[in-house]
Amino acid sequence: MNRSAKSSDGTLDQMAKTSAMMRSVCMGKHKADEALIDGLGRGEFPDTKEIKCYANCVLEMMQAMKKGKIMADSAIKQIDLLIPTEIAEPTIKAFDGCRDSGKCWSSKGWINMN
């Protein structure tokens, strides 16, 4: 993948501001508990409606999901544009894996992409 050179500091700052905005909007919209949202960053995915709706909201704002369907190409395009290379690659691999396997975990559970 041909990724353009970016200023990591500037991009990380922009990413932090965008993340905070999405978090605020989606947290308020779905009344998700802040402690549970913090756990998402540690890989903790509780099976609650509020967290699933919060995750769906964030993914839709990122243009990574539309109407419950993972949009791998759109997600990868956004990642490539906005996230520094050093932290983007694992995320791109995850979305590529979804596309390649035809099956991904979404906020609504396992979904088929075919």
Side-chain angles (χ1 to χ4, degrees):
M1 181 171 293
N2 183 11
R3 296 182 51 87
S4 58
K6 302 174 199 167
S7 165
S8 290
D9 291 339
T11 304
L12 286 173
D13 184 50
Q14 177 185 8
M15 188 177 75
K17 288 177 185 175
T18 301
S19 295
M21 182 274 301
M22 288 190 292
R23 177 184 173 114
S24 176
V25 167
C26 294
M27 193 166 85
K29 193 174 187 179
H30 298 289
K31 309 297 184 225
D33 183 274
E34 189 169 6
L36 294 178
I37 292 170
D38 289 342
L40 295 174
R42 296 186 299 271
E44 300 165 6
F45 300 98
D47 189 17
T48 69
K49 179 182 177 185
E50 293 79 15
I51 288 297
K52 290 178 182 180
C53 290
Y54 170 84
N56 190 77
C57 178
V58 170
L59 288 169
E60 285 192 358
M61 288 185 80
M62 291 173 50
Q63 299 176 1
M65 181 180 279
K66 185 174 184 178
K67 295 182 182 178
K69 182 178 178 189
I70 298 289
M71 311 296 289
D73 291 332
S74 178
I76 290 168
K77 183 177 179 182
Q78 292 297 315
I79 293 163
D80 196 37
L81 290 171
L82 300 173
I83 299 178
T85 304
E86 62 271 15
I87 61 175
E89 293 304 320
T91 307
I92 290 171
K93 285 181 184 178
F95 279 105
D96 274 337
C98 284
R99 180 180 33 239
D100 294 343
S101 71
K103 201 172 185 187
C104 295
W105 179 257
S106 79
S107 60
K108 296 179 182 180
W110 285 103
I111 59 170
N112 286 316
M113 295 183 63
N114 301 328

